Amino acid sequence: MTKKLLPLPVSELAPSISTNHVHICMSNPYPEPLTFIGQQRAQSALDFSLGMDLPGYNVYVMGEAAHGRFTLVKDKLKQHAKGRATPNEWLYVNNYDDHREPIALFMQAGQSKMLADDIDAFIDEVIDTFPAAFDNPAYQRKKKSIDREFNDAYDSAITAVEIAALEQNVALIEDKGVVGFAPLIDGKQLSDNEFSHLDDELRETFFEKIEKLEDALIEALIELPRWKRESKEKLRNLKKATTEQATKPLLKDLEHKYASHIGVLRYLKDIRVEIIDAVLEWLDDEGESEENKEDFDRKGMLTDFFAPNILVEFKEEDAAPVVYEPNPTFGNIFGKVEYATSQGSLITSYRSIQPGALHRANGGYLIMDAEKVMAQPQVWDGLKLSLKTHQIKNDLPYQDSVVGSSFTLRPQLIPLDVKIILLGSRELYYTIGEYDEEFAELFRVLADFDYYLPSSDKLQYQFITKVTEYCQQSLKCSTTEAAMVRLLKFSYRQAEHHNKLSARFADVLELVAEASFYAKQDKLSVIDAHHIDEAIEGKQYRTGQISENMLSDIKEGHTLIATDGQAIGKVNGLTVLHIGDTSFGTPARITATVYAGADGVLDVEREAELGKAIHSKGVMLLTGYLGNKYAQHFSLTLSANIAIEQSYGYIDGDSASLAELCALISAITSLPLSQSIALTGSINQHGDVQAIGGVNEKIEGFFKLCKMRGLSGEQGVIIPKSNQVNLVLDDEILDAVEHGKFSIYAVETVDQALNLLMAIEAGDLVNGHYPEHSVNGLALARLKEIAGIVNGDSDDDKDAELEEGKGEL
């Protein structure tokens, strides 16, 4: 005979926490610095990756949010970064041979800023020197000599024509740069009126002379354009020589200062050549009006043309950079080129190149969220290409589509030396590995974060010390021993285990911070246990509207749930709902009906397309259990419907299969089930009860309903025996159990559950038979009867056939 189970004692419903151990830990803080608690597997993986300098040993940190992934990774990286050399600084300078391809230079820490300051000072000196240098007496003298050469040639040509004209009684006249001729009579120049009164023959003679003189003038000045060109060329050469002579000493000091850096020397050599043309174009004020002098910013133009564009800079003795990029777009990772609008066109220059996270992290470490990286178009491909080529990818496809045929840049590629750390979920890790063969090659190290931490005395010690430090440093308060015990229980509850703490330490710190709010309301600087409870209740109240509404529906009779009495084919199952970051349990009525037929066990939820795969699997196992348990000597034939009543959403999971089987057996045997006991658990085909999730929320959901209606002492919950270690129940339930007002049973088999739910024994198999008046005996008989009816083999059918035969005779 199956022995009826006793309810679990209070000591089995929650983990035991030693207040003496808490007192000792709080009195003597952990002796070693604590950067993180637990996660030894992940820490070992990070240490291995950071110690490997070979390519491909990047890290995928696998775990869920609030497990301390980012904190641990950042602490580890900062520790390792201190042992690495300060990275080189990178800057772009103008490529004067091809402005589309800026030149990348690297320098030691602090040198880029020094170079930029030196170039800025050089530009200031050039502006101070010019155009003042063109006022130098030596320059002016040479300039006048060039002008005089031109004027002499011009005057000589004009004089020769003038002499020839006078010989023919014609005067040469110059007025405002215009050369003309006028007739002379007795040495007197004739006016137009006087010339008109001459006789026709004389006038015609003068016309012929003037025409010939004009031809002679043209012939004499035919070389004038060449004279002007040669004069301007000499003047330009003079200006170039003057500019070179004035700028050479300024650059000579810089060349001597950066003599050990070949790239900078080439850059300064290019400036030596280009500064001459820049001065002549932008700093030569000759021939310009005062208005034009103010039209542009000379300093800004020279800076944009000559000054270096620093991408990243460091100070001496800086550690290697540790960069976290929260928004890994293409531009934020690989850098971007900014554009400006000028006369309707987009323009840019090497000074508009902006660094990305890879530039800032070069020589160090870059942390990113894997989900965000995968969500951005082309970022993953660009990141892989950069890691494989060891160069920072800088072609920007998304910008090419915007700028079209406008001026674009192709900056020189910068070598890449960086360790990438991706933070992501377990599902994403396996998804990427399945679809991208290169992933395993580039991210060889997996740092796997556990969901739980083993609850050793040492770990509790570290837990208590970290909470104490957080309270003192961040919250400026302290906690009592009772509050610390409550926090430990909260962590056990998060882990749902007697021997494990939750790895979501951030949730504990969040709870402490919220508890400090209630302590401050009481004008206290010490957080007590009731403040922790207030914080928990406050969050439950803020997020508990849906659960309260569901409880109210049951109270008002809209949702039918019985908590006393007995019923055939009806049982209270336990479900847990996850809405956002809130989980709560609620009872659900499960019903079953059985009748003669051959349709088998029909899952109403699946037929209505509300039951998902795992739930449907749980219902299918019921047929296997019935066949294995009862139908060894006849064909299992029946029609049965199983439904979760008043369920209007999707249902998944097999935790209702135990309750569904009990309802089905009740319907088969017509034996009533106790409605004061709710149950949860999954089963296999052999009738073993298996563990389920959310056991604490499920128990608390049914307890709240029973408490609302009044605890009778008959109410309770049946859970799988294997879930006993997961019990971390509220003190209110523990108190009710201790006073015999509520019971919790842990079962291993279906028969044990039936013994608790029904008035008669389930019945053990003895010599191949179940006791006649046991649950199993009645179930076997009823199933055999239904099989006979459906298959036409029942005794009633045989008697009817015999009577019909007698009538015919």
Side-chain angles (χ1 to χ4, degrees):
M1 182 177 73
T2 304
K3 186 177 179 181
K4 193 167 184 177
L5 291 175
L6 296 175
L8 294 175
V10 175
S11 60
E12 299 292 335
L13 304 182
S16 176
I17 301 174
S18 171
T19 55
N20 184 52
H21 181 251
V22 172
H23 172 75
I24 295 173
C25 293
M26 292 185 69
S27 303
N28 303 281
Y30 198 74
E32 300 176 6
L34 287 175
T35 56
F36 202 79
I37 298 177
Q39 302 293 0
Q40 296 302 319
R41 188 194 309 275
Q43 294 195 52
S44 175
L46 285 170
D47 289 336
F48 171 75
S49 171
L50 299 178
M52 292 292 292
D53 292 330
L54 298 176
Y57 284 88
N58 301 294
V59 192
Y60 186 99
V61 179
M62 184 168 70
E64 303 304 323
H67 282 182
R69 299 176 307 174
F70 183 78
T71 302
L72 176 59
V73 167
K74 196 167 185 180
D75 286 342
K76 285 287 184 183
L77 295 184
K78 285 185 175 180
Q79 292 175 15
H80 281 263
K82 294 176 181 177
R84 296 190 62 176
T86 305
N88 290 326
E89 300 178 327
W90 285 95
L91 60 154
Y92 276 111
V93 296
N94 203 348
N95 185 346
Y96 300 102
D97 294 328
D98 186 352
H99 296 299
R100 293 176 180 268
E101 299 183 358
I103 298 171
L105 295 180
F106 72 90
M107 302 189 76
Q108 299 298 319
Q111 290 186 347
S112 295
K113 184 66 166 59
M114 186 188 306
L115 177 63
D117 292 341
D118 288 339
I119 296 298
D120 187 68
F122 165 74
I123 291 173
D124 287 337
E125 290 177 338
V126 169
I127 293 175
D128 292 340
T129 304
F130 298 95
F134 296 137
D135 295 333
N136 184 281
Y139 170 81
Q140 291 295 330
R141 187 171 56 254
K142 292 178 181 179
K143 180 176 181 296
K144 288 178 181 179
S145 176
I146 294 172
D147 293 340
R148 188 165 50 250
E149 288 181 12
F150 173 77
N151 291 334
D152 289 347
Y154 178 79
D155 291 344
S156 176
I158 293 296
T159 300
V161 175
E162 184 177 15
I163 292 173
L166 290 173
E167 290 176 352
Q168 301 182 48
N169 294 320
V170 176
L172 186 144
I173 304 171
E174 284 189 81
D175 184 19
K176 297 180 180 179
V178 178
V179 179
F181 295 94
L184 295 174
I185 299 295
D186 297 331
K188 179 184 177 183
Q189 181 178 330
L190 299 180
S191 65
D192 291 342
N193 186 36
E194 291 172 338
F195 182 75
S196 64
H197 287 85
L198 294 178
D199 59 71
D200 293 341
E201 183 178 352
L202 184 57
R203 281 204 315 272
E204 187 64 30
T205 301
F206 274 116
F207 277 134
E208 292 177 357
K209 290 179 180 180
I210 290 173
E211 185 177 357
K212 290 179 180 179
L213 287 171
E214 288 176 345
D215 291 340
L217 179 63
I218 293 173
E219 184 68 25
L221 296 180
I222 195 170
E223 296 294 325
L224 182 61
R226 181 175 63 82
W227 298 339
K228 286 186 177 182
R229 185 171 63 252
E230 290 176 352
S231 177
K232 287 186 177 181
E233 185 65 27
K234 290 178 181 179
L235 183 59
R236 183 172 182 82
N237 289 336
L238 174 61
K239 290 182 176 181
K240 284 186 175 182
T242 303
T243 303
E244 183 177 5
Q245 185 178 4
T247 57
K248 187 175 181 180
L250 303 179
L251 288 170
K252 187 175 182 180
D253 292 339
L254 293 180
E255 290 172 349
H256 178 72
K257 184 175 181 179
Y258 296 99
S260 61
H261 200 298
I262 296 177
V264 175
L265 287 179
R266 290 175 180 171
Y267 166 52
L268 295 175
K269 182 180 178 181
D270 291 338
I271 291 180
R272 179 193 290 268
V273 175
E274 296 296 328
I275 192 65
I276 297 173
D277 291 335
V279 168
L280 298 184
E281 183 175 355
W282 295 326
L283 301 182
D284 184 5
D285 288 346
E286 291 186 3
E288 289 190 5
S289 65
E290 290 297 325
E291 295 180 358
N292 292 335
K293 292 181 183 179
E294 304 299 330
D295 284 347
F296 58 89
D297 177 14
R298 290 173 169 79
K299 174 68 179 291
M301 296 183 70
L302 289 173
T303 299
D304 288 342
F305 197 66
F306 292 108
N309 176 19
I310 301 175
L311 295 185
V312 287
E313 55 182 318
F314 301 97
K315 296 179 181 178
E316 292 185 20
E317 305 303 325
D318 274 356
V322 177
V323 177
Y324 171 65
E325 177 50 60
N327 183 27
T329 62
F330 199 100
N332 288 348
I333 295 296
F334 302 100
K336 55 189 173 184
V337 179
E338 294 180 343
Y339 288 81
T341 303
S342 177
Q343 298 180 352
S345 299
L346 294 176
I347 60 172
T348 189
S349 74
Y350 76 101
R351 298 269 298 173
S352 298
I353 300 174
Q354 300 298 318
L358 283 177
H359 296 93
R360 298 194 302 274
N362 202 3
Y365 310 94
L366 176 59
I367 310 171
M368 294 183 290
D369 294 307
E371 285 85 355
K372 294 180 181 178
V373 171
M374 295 301 167
Q376 296 291 337
Q378 302 183 1
V379 168
W380 177 242
D381 290 335
L383 187 62
K384 290 194 300 180
L385 181 60
S386 295
L387 290 175
K388 287 189 292 186
T389 60
H390 305 291
Q391 292 178 319
I392 299 178
K393 179 182 174 67
N394 63 12
D395 54 319
L396 310 176
Y398 72 95
Q399 284 195 353
D400 289 345
S401 62
V402 175
V403 301
S405 60
S406 300
F407 184 88
T408 57
L409 297 180
R410 296 185 298 275
Q412 194 176 65
L413 296 180
I414 292 177
L416 178 63
D417 176 22
V418 69
K419 187 83 72 175
I420 304 292
I421 296 90
L422 292 181
L423 309 177
S425 65
R426 192 174 303 274
E427 293 78 12
L428 183 60
Y429 174 78
Y430 293 115
T431 300
I432 300 174
E434 181 179 355
Y435 288 98
D436 193 334
E437 296 178 354
E438 295 175 324
F439 177 66
E441 178 184 345
L442 297 174
F443 289 83
R444 299 175 187 268
V445 181
L446 170 66
D448 191 357
F449 273 65
D450 295 329
Y451 291 100
Y452 315 108
L453 306 176
S455 176
S456 62
D457 288 344
K458 180 180 178 181
L459 198 65
Q460 284 191 6
Y461 195 179
Q462 294 175 344
F463 177 101
I464 293 169
T465 300
K466 284 295 288 183
V467 171
T468 303
E469 290 177 355
Y470 176 74
C471 290
Q472 293 173 349
Q473 297 172 7
S474 299
L475 303 178
K476 308 302 180 185
C477 64
S478 60
T479 63
T480 64
E481 294 174 9
M484 194 64 72
V485 170
R486 190 68 186 85
L487 288 172
L488 281 167
K489 184 175 180 180
F490 173 80
S491 186
Y492 282 116
R493 173 58 183 267
Q494 292 288 90
E496 291 190 327
H497 204 281
H498 284 187
N499 305 316
K500 294 179 182 178
L501 292 171
S502 172
R504 294 176 61 92
F505 191 68
D507 290 348
V508 175
L509 300 184
E510 178 184 337
L511 178 60
V512 175
E514 293 177 4
S516 69
F517 168 80
Y518 295 99
K520 290 176 182 177
Q521 283 190 330
D522 294 340
K523 298 181 180 180
L524 297 174
S525 60
V526 180
I527 300 174
D528 204 352
H530 70 273
H531 295 130
I532 304 293
D533 291 333
E534 283 184 76
I536 294 174
E537 292 168 3
K539 186 167 186 178
Q540 290 176 345
Y541 177 74
R542 294 192 298 271
T543 61
Q545 182 172 350
I546 296 178
S547 62
E548 290 181 6
N549 290 343
M550 296 182 73
L551 197 63
S552 176
D553 288 342
I554 297 174
K555 181 179 180 181
E556 295 172 0
H558 299 305
T559 302
L560 301 180
I561 300 289
T563 55
D564 56 14
Q566 295 181 327
I568 297 174
K570 299 176 184 178
V571 71
N572 291 328
L574 297 174
T575 64
V576 62
L577 300 180
H578 303 280
I579 300 176
D581 62 346
T582 304
S583 298
F584 59 90
T586 182
R589 170 170 283 187
I590 297 173
T591 63
T593 57
V594 175
Y595 49 91
D599 295 331
V601 179
L602 184 67
D603 178 13
V604 174
E605 309 302 325
R606 182 182 63 184
E607 297 300 318
E609 298 184 352
L610 293 177
K612 293 189 176 181
I614 298 178
H615 177 262
S616 299
K617 174 187 174 183
V619 176
M620 291 176 185
L621 290 174
L622 303 186
T623 303
Y625 173 82
L626 294 177
N628 178 65
K629 184 84 172 180
Y630 305 116
Q632 295 293 330
H633 303 292
F634 60 90
S635 174
L636 179 63
T637 307
L638 82 161
S639 289
N641 289 341
I642 295 178
I644 298 178
E645 302 293 350
Q646 294 183 284
S647 170
Y648 307 106
Y650 291 106
I651 296 174
D652 201 8
D654 59 353
S655 63
S657 56
L658 174 61
E660 290 168 338
L661 179 59
C662 291
L664 181 60
I665 292 177
S666 172
I668 292 172
T669 61
S670 297
L671 294 174
L673 296 169
S674 172
Q675 302 298 293
S676 60
I677 297 179
L679 66 161
T680 182
S682 68
I683 64 165
N684 60 26
Q685 295 184 92
H686 295 280
D688 300 317
V689 179
Q690 303 167 143
I692 46 82
V695 62
N696 293 293
E697 288 84 357
K698 292 176 178 179
I699 293 173
E700 290 167 0
F702 188 67
F703 176 80
K704 287 179 181 178
L705 174 60
C706 295
K707 178 186 174 184
M708 180 185 70
R709 290 180 173 175
L711 295 174
S712 63
E714 299 295 326
Q715 294 133 337
V717 170
I718 295 174
I719 64 169
K721 178 75 173 177
S722 51
N723 277 122
Q724 188 173 327
V725 74
N726 303 118
L727 294 176
V728 188
L729 296 172
D730 287 342
D731 291 340
E732 187 178 18
I733 299 180
L734 301 183
D735 185 67
V737 170
E738 188 171 9
H739 289 84
K741 296 180 179 180
F742 195 77
S743 302
I744 298 174
Y745 304 93
V747 301
E748 296 180 277
T749 65
V750 173
D751 285 350
Q752 289 178 342
L754 292 174
N755 283 338
L756 293 169
L757 292 169
M758 293 183 173
I760 64 174
E761 293 286 338
D764 295 330
L765 187 66
V766 179
N767 298 325
H769 300 281
Y770 291 109
E772 183 178 355
H773 296 292
S774 66
V775 175
N776 290 326
L778 294 173
L780 189 149
R782 177 58 178 158
L783 288 173
K784 187 173 183 180
E785 179 184 358
I786 293 175
I789 293 172
V790 173
N791 297 325
D793 297 331
S794 68
D795 294 337
D796 292 340
D797 291 341
K798 291 179 180 179
D799 292 341
E801 290 176 2
L802 188 59
E803 290 297 329
E804 290 177 4
K806 290 180 179 178
E808 291 175 359
L809 291 173

